[in-house]
Amino acid sequence: MRVLVLGSGVIGTTSAWYLRQAGFEVTVVDRQPGPALETSFANAGQLSFGYTSPWAAPGVPKKAIGWLFEKHAPLAIKPGMDLAQYRWLWQMLRNCTHERYAINKARMVRMSEYSRDCLNELRAQIGIDFEGRDLGTTQLFRTQQQLDASAQDIEILAQYGVPYEVLDRAGIIKAEPALAHVDGLVGALRLPRDQTGDCQLFTRRLAQMAAEAGVEFRYDQDITGVEFDGDRITGVRIGGKLETADRFVVALGSYSPGLVAPLGMRLPVYPLKGYSLTLPITDPAMAPTSTILDESYKVAVTRFDNRIRVGGMAEVAGFDLSLSPRRRETLELVVRDLYPKGGDLAKAEFWTGLRPATPDGTPVIGATPFRNLFLNTGHGTLGWTMACGSGRYLADLMSARQPQISTEGLDIFRYGQYRHTPQHENRTCVLPAR
């Protein structure tokens, strides 16, 4: 049975790997010249299996008002003429309750914890190297209010049996010795089973291994539309040619909604623009040991072998990929404060990418009203974290095997406003230019 996977980021590539392992004939198509050259290229490097939380959280609406006037705010909204933006923001606000936060975080932790197990198994099986470290994540709190607010997260971690440690200043320094000089830290939440690694390096090497296992990768191919007949997809238009397959997987990140919209599917995935800096390490003893997450700025500082990756922030600004000097200032501010002697900022590489976010934080994985169309998208800031679990989960679903985790709340049918109302057999959608 032939499967056409649309997208060769970390989500599309892991989907292809697990589908091939399940016995499918797999072809991956992407508009870029290689794998992981968009959202997966230079993300924060966190494998945050325990630190998994939706942006939609209690208190965020009030905080967002204050962030409008802060130079280094973690979230920025640039209003435009896009109705999808306002619809997504409204849905996000509706998820900023204690009840919805608990439900959404539980779903996300479920997938993230499973993904950790899948990644560990994959590493043991094929020995893939991606500058990975198994030394945990430390979430830094600069105020007592931040520390107190972590209680709800801790409750959910305990519910799912995720190990955690609440650290005082001495504990922080023991976990991350280079932070001994930093004043004003009131505490931290450490998640010892979290990991780090270069997502782009992982994806590129897994794509090579998948190709050796029989997966066909076709790059520099523009995907322009989908054709259907009733409740079946009949083909995808790629480079002006109709490509057919038995089943189709949409793993196009932020561009997924545009492709499926002509099918009558309103997929609530919107791009959250994020930024990163990558700088060479100058003094290993003054660099992070693993990943530090600064709760005040929502910025992560991650250690690779010889580099530091600083990533974070979110802008609701559509498909704009311009590099903002103001955002660079924020990233530089955090790394100068925490690790002033760790890396060379003068040699830093500045990058931006679009994270495909759902309003509730949970990805959209699984079946659709079209019998042979499947989705694997909407992972937001946690695509790297959830990639292996999402790929294996999807392969199990498509193989008619019972997934190893609950399927509750993971597919598009959790959105009650969804309607399948295709009006024509041959509709096309041109995706935004790269």
Side-chain angles (χ1 to χ4, degrees), residues 162-180:
V162 180
Y164 65 89
E165 303 168 7
V166 179
L167 306 179
D168 58 13
R169 180 172 175 78
I172 294 171
I173 296 172
K174 182 179 179 181
E176 290 284 345
L179 294 178

Side-chain angles (χ1 to χ4, degrees), residues 19-331:
L19 285 166
R20 182 58 185 157
Q21 296 301 302
F24 291 96
E25 177 188 347
V26 183
T27 298
V28 179
V29 179
D30 197 282
R31 63 185 181 179
Q32 294 289 352
L37 293 178
E38 294 195 31
T39 301
S40 304
F41 183 73
N43 64 19
Q46 300 168 265
L47 287 158
S48 304
F49 307 115
Y51 183 75
T52 294
S53 296
W55 274 88
V60 165
K62 182 178 179 180
K63 291 178 183 178
I65 296 174
W67 287 337
L68 292 174
F69 307 99
E70 291 183 16
K71 181 178 180 180
H72 301 292
L75 176 66
I77 300 172
K78 295 184 177 180
M81 300 300 292
D82 184 5
L83 291 179
Q85 181 189 69
Y86 295 100
R87 186 184 303 116
W88 187 89
L89 287 169
W90 171 243
Q91 290 175 303
M92 178 184 173
L93 288 173
R94 293 177 62 189
N95 278 278
C96 291
T97 66
H98 289 282
E99 180 182 9
R100 293 304 309 173
Y101 179 82
I103 292 171
N104 296 332
K105 183 176 176 68
R107 289 171 175 170
M108 295 168 71
V109 170
R110 184 203 323 158
M111 177 55 74
S112 294
E113 286 291 291
Y114 176 58
S115 192
R116 183 201 66 244
D117 295 340
C118 292
L119 176 60
N120 289 343
E121 183 179 321
L122 184 66
R123 293 174 72 179
Q125 181 184 58
I126 65 176
I128 188 170
D129 177 37
F130 48 91
E131 300 189 18
R133 290 177 169 234
D134 303 335
L135 298 174
T137 293
T138 303
Q139 182 183 9
L140 299 178
F141 303 122
R142 296 177 184 265
T143 68
Q144 187 63 42
Q145 184 180 13
Q146 291 173 349
L147 181 60
D148 294 343
S150 68
Q152 186 173 8
D153 287 343
I154 289 172
E155 182 179 339
I156 296 173
L157 293 173
Q159 176 186 342
Y160 278 84
V162 180
Y164 65 89
E165 303 168 7
V166 179
L167 306 179
D168 58 13
R169 180 172 175 78
I172 294 171
I173 296 172
K174 182 179 179 181
E176 290 284 345
L179 294 178
H181 74 283
V182 181
D183 296 324
L185 301 178
V186 302
L189 175 63
R190 184 169 184 270
L191 301 163
R193 292 203 301 188
D194 278 9
Q195 302 175 22
T196 62
D198 187 328
C199 177
Q200 199 265 350
L201 180 60
F202 169 86
T203 308
R204 193 173 72 238
R205 291 182 172 172
L206 186 63
Q208 181 180 353
M209 292 178 178
E212 293 169 356
V215 175
E216 179 188 6
F217 286 84
R218 294 171 52 191
Y219 300 114
D220 292 307
Q221 302 287 309
D222 287 326
I223 303 163
T224 56
V226 180
E227 296 190 3
F228 60 93
D229 184 4
D231 64 353
R232 289 188 63 85
I233 303 301
T234 55
V236 176
R237 291 216 163 268
I238 300 171
K241 179 183 176 182
L242 186 67
E243 294 285 341
T244 61
D246 299 296
R247 295 184 181 181
F248 302 84
V249 174
V250 177
L252 292 170
S254 299
Y255 300 97
S256 301
L259 187 69
V260 302
L263 304 177
M265 295 172 60
R266 182 180 291 176
L267 177 60
V269 171
Y270 197 81
L272 284 186
K273 185 179 181 181
Y275 297 87
S276 75
L277 288 174
T278 305
L279 52 151
I281 290 175
T282 53
D283 184 348
M286 298 304 293
T289 299
S290 186
T291 286
I292 288 293
L293 182 69
D294 191 319
E295 179 63 17
S296 295
Y297 299 99
K298 302 289 186 182
V299 168
V301 186
T302 298
R303 171 75 173 266
F304 293 157
D305 285 355
N306 301 303
R307 298 168 295 152
I308 296 173
R309 174 69 52 77
V310 190
M313 295 168 293
E315 288 183 356
V316 184
F319 291 87
D320 172 36
L321 283 169
S322 61
L323 288 166
S324 167
R326 183 174 175 180
R327 301 304 171 197
R328 179 169 186 150
E329 287 180 26
T330 301
L331 297 177

